[in-house]
Amino acid sequence: MTATAHKGKLAQMRQRWSDMPKQVRWAGLAALVAFFYILPNRWFYEYLGFPIGSEYFAFYTTRSDFAAVLFDTAVFVLLAVGLNVVVGFTGLLDLGYFGFYAVGAYTVALLTSPASRLDLTWPWLAAVPVAIVVTMISGVILGTPTLRLRGDYLAIVTLGFAEMIRLYAARNDGLLQGQRGIPEVQHPPGPMVDGRPLFGVVDSKPYYWLILTVIIVIIFAMRNLERSRVGRAWVAIREDEDAAEIMGVPTFKYKLWAFAIGAAVGGLTGAIFAGKQTFINSDSFLLESSILVLAAVILGGAGGIKGAIIGGALTWYLPEWFRGFGQIIGLDFDTAEYRILIFGLIIIVMMIFRPQGLVPNRRRAAEFADRRKEAVPQETVPSE
């Protein structure tokens, strides 16, 4: 199938979906949401029998708790949706997004753990809003002096921010207690029917359901933002910041909003992560993870929420999917050691043959098409 035919088929599918009655579309979305809520139940994914974790096939995620894998995948999806505000909507290159994730996680740990140096025991639910506000403030503090930079210079500054957070967290005599970390972080509240805590250490399903609910809420909020005046200003900045400023768009203000909103989503994700892990240290916030989140946004298709979701899910789940793959193809070595290498090769191939991403935003796809036309040398017509 040629690229033109593929695009035409996708356009037909979008049009067919748009032509459906509103009730049918809502019913389809509700069925999809119900599918993801049921997914971590073992009886369900074993009944389905396709590559999502069945133990009957060695190349499915056999060496991990499938609910825990789904939670980690959902964490990456939420981070990709938050980073998409900065990279996809506004067109800013941010290499230090994991720094906001770390700020949110450490804020919850400091406020809820009796083993922290603040010696506070706030409930997890009370600490989450504080974590969101602290990460938003950190985004504003970082963005105010640096958002006048563009391109590679902004990327270097954001990278330095994430590394400063990590290096300070690694200091054993600091507030964040270095490699010893902060244990005894409190779980989210909620009892089961028999009175036991819903959020514990053994079962990861409640945490997955919690973060899935948060993802749904964030997606609705992002869609409204994308269609609002703020979203249109972000698109104008992404396409041509100078032209947007000439037309009266306060570019610095809207870029600062994008940084603050993206930071808030990252901080919320970190708060949920800390509540599940109950222990965090600097090893949880490495530079490689920050690069992976950026790769997720680009892989799925920067500028679109669907692309960020798909990119985030594939970025985390594909390496897990490759665990034990060697047993299927008859190799003696453990392919789990090479799963990141295989995933990296997939990303390289994607960037060569589909730089706009798997599910590109329509406007972004049009921008790539225009750039491709500009890159093709034009034939000169000889003068008579």
Side-chain angles (χ1 to χ4, degrees):
M1 182 182 292
T2 63
T4 305
H6 181 67
K7 290 179 182 177
K9 190 173 182 180
L10 288 177
Q12 289 178 3
M13 291 175 62
R14 290 195 192 101
Q15 188 61 40
R16 199 173 302 166
W17 173 260
S18 301
D19 293 340
M20 288 182 180
K22 190 174 182 180
Q23 295 83 354
V24 175
R25 284 182 287 166
W26 277 106
L29 290 174
L32 182 64
V33 170
F35 170 82
F36 283 112
Y37 273 104
I38 302 173
L39 186 56
N41 293 291
R42 182 170 179 173
W43 61 267
F44 182 68
Y45 64 71
E46 287 187 352
Y47 171 77
L48 293 178
F50 63 88
I52 57 174
S54 175
E55 294 184 358
Y56 295 115
F57 301 94
F59 61 97
Y60 299 168
T61 42
T62 57
R63 304 185 184 183
S64 306
D65 174 15
F66 186 54
V69 172
L70 285 178
F71 172 81
D72 293 335
T73 304
V75 166
F76 252 71
V77 168
L78 191 52
L79 287 172
V81 170
L83 183 59
N84 188 56
V85 176
V86 181
V87 175
F89 291 167
T90 319
L92 305 174
L93 186 55
D94 186 354
L95 291 179
Y97 189 68
F98 235 63
F100 300 121
Y101 177 65
V103 170
Y106 271 111
T107 301
V108 167
L110 288 170
L111 293 177
T112 63
S113 172
S116 74
R117 290 182 175 165
L118 295 184
D119 196 22
L120 299 174
T121 55
W122 287 25
W124 180 87
L125 207 56
V128 170
V130 178
I132 295 173
V133 171
V134 169
T135 48
M136 288 187 74
I137 293 173
S138 65
V140 171
I141 292 173
L142 173 65
T144 300
T146 61
L147 282 178
R148 303 189 190 280
L149 302 173
R150 299 183 187 180
D152 299 339
Y153 301 102
L154 179 61
I156 292 171
V157 171
T158 55
L159 177 62
F161 164 75
E163 279 298 282
M164 284 191 299
I165 297 293
R166 186 187 65 82
L167 291 173
Y168 177 75
R171 293 179 55 200
N172 290 325
D173 57 343
L175 181 65
L176 307 182
Q177 302 180 194
Q179 296 299 318
R180 291 176 297 169
I182 304 178
E184 301 180 52
V185 181
Q186 292 195 25
H187 295 293
M192 297 178 69
V193 178
D194 57 2
R196 292 179 299 161
L198 177 61
F199 297 92
V201 178
V202 178
D203 191 4
S204 298
K205 289 196 289 291
Y207 297 100
Y208 167 72
W209 291 326
L210 172 63
I211 197 169
L212 180 61
T213 305
V214 171
I215 288 173
I216 293 170
V217 173
I218 294 295
I219 287 173
F220 275 103
M222 293 302 175
R223 284 183 64 85
N224 289 332
L225 267 177
E226 185 182 13
R227 298 172 180 177
S228 68
R229 181 181 178 182
V230 176
R232 291 191 293 271
W234 286 340
V235 171
I237 294 169
R238 183 188 70 203
E239 292 185 351
D240 193 329
E241 185 175 345
D242 294 328
E245 196 159 5
I246 292 172
M247 295 300 293
V249 177
T251 56
F252 180 77
K253 182 182 78 172
Y254 284 114
K255 287 196 295 183
L256 201 58
W257 281 20
F259 243 62
I261 293 171
V265 177
L268 175 59
T269 312
I272 298 173
F273 171 79
K276 178 185 182 296
Q277 294 297 106
T278 69
F279 170 82
I280 57 171
N281 64 3
S282 59
D283 289 340
S284 304
F285 311 103
L286 300 177
L287 173 62
E288 291 83 352
S289 300
S290 193
I291 303 298
L292 273 180
V293 177
L294 179 62
V297 175
I298 297 174
L299 175 66
I305 298 174
K306 288 183 290 186
I309 294 170
I310 293 173
L314 291 178
T315 299
W316 185 262
Y317 185 73
L318 269 183
E320 290 294 326
W321 187 79
F322 280 114
R323 289 181 182 270
F325 190 74
Q327 299 174 15
I328 291 296
I329 58 179
L331 297 178
D332 294 332
F333 63 86
D334 186 4
T335 52
E337 299 177 2
Y338 300 92
R339 65 190 191 280
I340 301 298
L341 172 63
I342 297 170
F343 176 68
L345 293 174
I346 292 173
I347 291 181
I348 291 173
V349 172
M350 276 292 305
M351 292 302 100
I352 294 173
F353 295 101
R354 195 173 175 82
Q356 68 270 34
L358 291 171
V359 189
N361 178 271
R362 293 183 186 181
R363 189 185 296 269
R364 292 282 287 176
E367 292 174 12
F368 273 101
D370 291 340
R371 293 173 188 171
R372 195 176 293 114
K373 290 179 182 177
E374 293 174 359
V376 175
Q378 302 295 325
E379 295 183 1
T380 56
V381 179
S383 59
E384 295 182 359

